[in-house]
Amino acid sequence: MKATHIAAALALGAGLAGCGSTTPANEPAAQEGGGRGPITFLGGKFEAESVQKIVDAWNAAHPDEKATVVLLPESADEQRRKLIQSAQTKSDTGDVILMDAVWTSEFAANRWVDELKLDTTGFLPTTIETAKYRDKLYAMPLFTGTGLLYYRTDLVKEPPKTWDEMKKICADDLPGQRA
């Protein structure tokens, strides 16, 4: 795989900069050999629609550095197997890869991905920690899988602090609601 520094350029240049980076979208990615593009983005079917929007935005802003999306198999195990196979054979199939957070240390330890030097201000700290290996950043969060709980202030005056409190509020204070 080619240097993954392009991952930062693609993601940040396509509008994720609003998530916290101050890196200008037109700033070249630091990689050996210089230059960027064309860029191949490897991702699974689950995130295909979101990734395509990012790639479309990148392509509109960088017509000389076109990015394309190549879909990996639907199964996470098969995605991992394909990415490892590409890395072990030093294939240049993908420049940017979407990988599960639990794979970060494996890919970093085997030097299948490069360290990223990016400003992570504004990102959820726990998601940034999952993107690190030995205190160095090797990935950037795109999807966090973070669940959010909303409540109606007209029905619940104070948000619950524990799961048990939430179940009690649902059972006792909200008639007709199920915990």
Side-chain angles (χ1 to χ4, degrees):
M1 287 182 226
K2 298 176 191 173
T4 55
H5 287 78
I6 292 176
L10 179 62
L12 297 174
L16 292 182
C19 294
S21 175
T22 57
T23 305
N26 60 355
E27 185 176 297
Q31 69 176 14
E32 291 181 29
R36 294 187 301 205
I39 301 165
T40 303
F41 202 113
L42 300 177
K45 187 176 180 179
F46 171 74
E47 56 274 318
E49 185 177 335
S50 298
V51 170
Q52 189 60 56
K53 288 178 183 178
I54 293 169
V55 168
D56 290 345
W58 172 269
N59 287 339
H62 303 87
D64 295 332
E65 302 171 318
K66 290 290 184 187
T68 57
V69 177
V70 174
L71 291 179
L72 294 169
E74 194 165 339
S75 158
D77 289 338
E78 280 300 301
Q79 288 175 21
R80 182 178 164 275
R81 187 187 66 74
K82 288 266 192 192
L83 291 173
I84 289 173
Q85 182 180 34
S86 291
Q88 289 175 333
T89 61
K90 299 184 182 351
S91 169
D92 64 355
T93 303
D95 304 302
V96 180
I97 62 172
L98 277 179
M99 63 181 188
D100 195 303
V102 299
W103 304 342
T104 304
S105 58
E106 175 186 16
F107 278 64
N110 285 292
R111 298 182 182 177
W112 296 333
V113 291
D114 295 326
E115 180 184 355
L116 300 175
K117 304 280 187 183
L118 299 171
D119 177 9
T120 59
T121 305
F123 284 88
L124 293 171
T126 52
T127 61
I128 293 299
E129 287 306 309
T130 66
K132 290 181 177 180
Y133 173 68
R134 295 189 174 176
D135 295 323
K136 293 181 181 178
L137 186 68
Y138 286 91
M140 285 301 291
L142 183 58
F143 304 105
T144 64
T146 303
L148 301 174
L149 176 64
Y150 295 91
Y151 69 98
R152 289 180 43 187
T153 56
D154 62 322
L155 297 175
V156 178
K157 300 304 175 206
E158 293 291 323
K161 293 181 178 54
T162 67
W163 188 252
D164 286 337
E165 281 183 31
M166 187 182 79
K167 290 191 318 188
K168 182 179 180 339
I169 288 171
C170 290
D172 297 344
D173 299 336
L174 301 176
Q177 302 297 315
R178 297 172 63 178

